Amino acid sequence: INSCDALALCRVKRIDTSAAFFLSIEFQETGYLVYRLYKAAYGDLAVDVPFPVRRDPFIPDTRTIGSGVVVGPAGWEQVLENNKQSFVGNFVTLTRFTNAHPATTTAAQFVDTLFANAGVIPSSTDRQAAIDEFGMVGTSADSAARARALRRVAENSSLKAQEFNKAFVLMQYFGYLQRNPDDAPDNNLAGYNFWLSKLNQFNGDFRQAEMVKAFITSSEYRSRFGPP
């Protein structure tokens, strides 16, 4: 950014640098995974709220999975994998999760519910692979198997593609504005829905949609750093 020598070029670099945080391997494997875990576990927050998690749980959960992860140095993949296993292992023991997914359900019922929450129709291979995490037992009570099955659903390629733009827009609010899309001053999802529609219109091209640009030049974002 400091090396750009024209105002227009500087704007483009600022936009690309900002977008790079969401598009980075690190965020895709931490924050975006958290988003998809909530989606598979619980579905969207409501019929008229088309995302699965709010900022308050999202931020600390993302920090937990990303703890100590620096992409590049030797061994970073194992640090990330250890964090994922630990986080998801704990996630499936939380009261909210066990209330939503009783241990008395069969493995097939458990997996089918996760895919239904995710809004994904899995291939027979993907569905069976998740069910097979439970072995030959009759129920889905095994917490370790639950964690592995949940990860299989959350890491499903169809789910990743399906939710990508929704998560991209949501992160603009979580990151730049440090709030939920329907918090004040909006108090509704009109802004979120507008930017999601525009990003979809341009097939995910954030430059053409001018989405990132709009957030980093917004008065709400800039006011965080003092009077303009």
Side-chain angles (χ1 to χ4, degrees):
I1 292 176
N2 290 335
S3 65
C4 62
D5 54 8
L7 182 58
L9 178 59
C10 287
R11 288 199 186 104
V12 170
K13 285 193 173 184
R14 285 183 63 204
I15 292 167
D16 288 353
T17 300
S18 297
F21 284 99
F22 176 79
L23 300 172
S24 68
I25 294 173
E26 183 174 349
F27 186 82
Q28 290 294 304
E29 295 296 327
T30 57
Y32 190 33
L33 175 59
V34 168
Y35 175 103
R36 299 192 313 272
L37 287 168
Y38 275 89
K39 177 72 174 180
Y42 309 116
D44 288 336
L45 291 170
V47 173
D48 58 347
V49 182
F51 46 84
V53 63
R54 293 198 175 274
R55 189 175 186 272
D56 282 351
F58 176 84
I59 297 299
D61 285 353
T62 298
R63 286 174 179 159
T64 297
I65 289 189
S67 179
V69 175
V70 179
V71 175
W76 73 268
E77 297 98 332
Q78 190 59 54
V79 173
L80 176 61
E81 178 59 26
N82 292 344
N83 288 356
K84 287 180 180 180
Q85 290 184 20
S86 176
F87 178 83
V88 182
N90 180 68
F91 188 87
V92 299
T93 67
L94 298 176
T95 300
R96 182 185 178 190
F97 190 89
T98 56
N99 285 344
H101 306 281
T104 53
T105 59
T106 67
Q109 289 171 332
F110 177 78
V111 168
D112 288 344
T113 298
L114 295 181
F115 274 116
N117 288 343
V120 169
I121 299 175
S123 67
S124 58
T125 301
D126 287 346
R127 177 179 181 270
Q128 192 60 50
I131 293 172
D132 287 347
E133 293 291 356
F134 293 91
M136 301 300 293
V137 298
T139 71
S140 63
D142 183 350
S143 290
R146 285 181 153 222
R148 294 192 300 269
L150 175 59
R151 272 193 68 180
R152 281 190 178 274
V153 177
E155 293 175 345
N156 179 272
S157 59
S158 295
L159 178 58
K160 288 182 180 180
Q162 170 188 289
E163 296 296 312
F164 190 86
N165 285 354
K166 292 181 181 179
F168 201 169
V169 176
L170 188 62
M171 293 311 120
Q172 309 306 297
Y173 286 92
F174 285 2
Y176 297 122
L177 307 187
Q178 297 190 350
R179 64 173 174 87
N180 297 301
D182 51 354
D183 286 346
D186 288 355
N187 297 313
N188 58 57
L189 290 173
Y192 174 89
N193 290 331
F194 170 81
W195 287 113
L196 178 58
S197 176
K198 195 166 185 185
L199 191 60
N200 287 337
Q201 176 188 345
F202 288 97
N203 298 312
D205 187 329
F206 61 88
R207 280 188 181 177
Q208 290 295 315
E210 298 189 319
M211 180 186 69
V212 176
K213 174 184 176 183
F215 278 88
I216 64 176
T217 60
S218 69
S219 58
E220 183 178 352
Y221 170 68
R222 293 170 70 86
S223 67
R224 288 177 48 204
F225 308 100

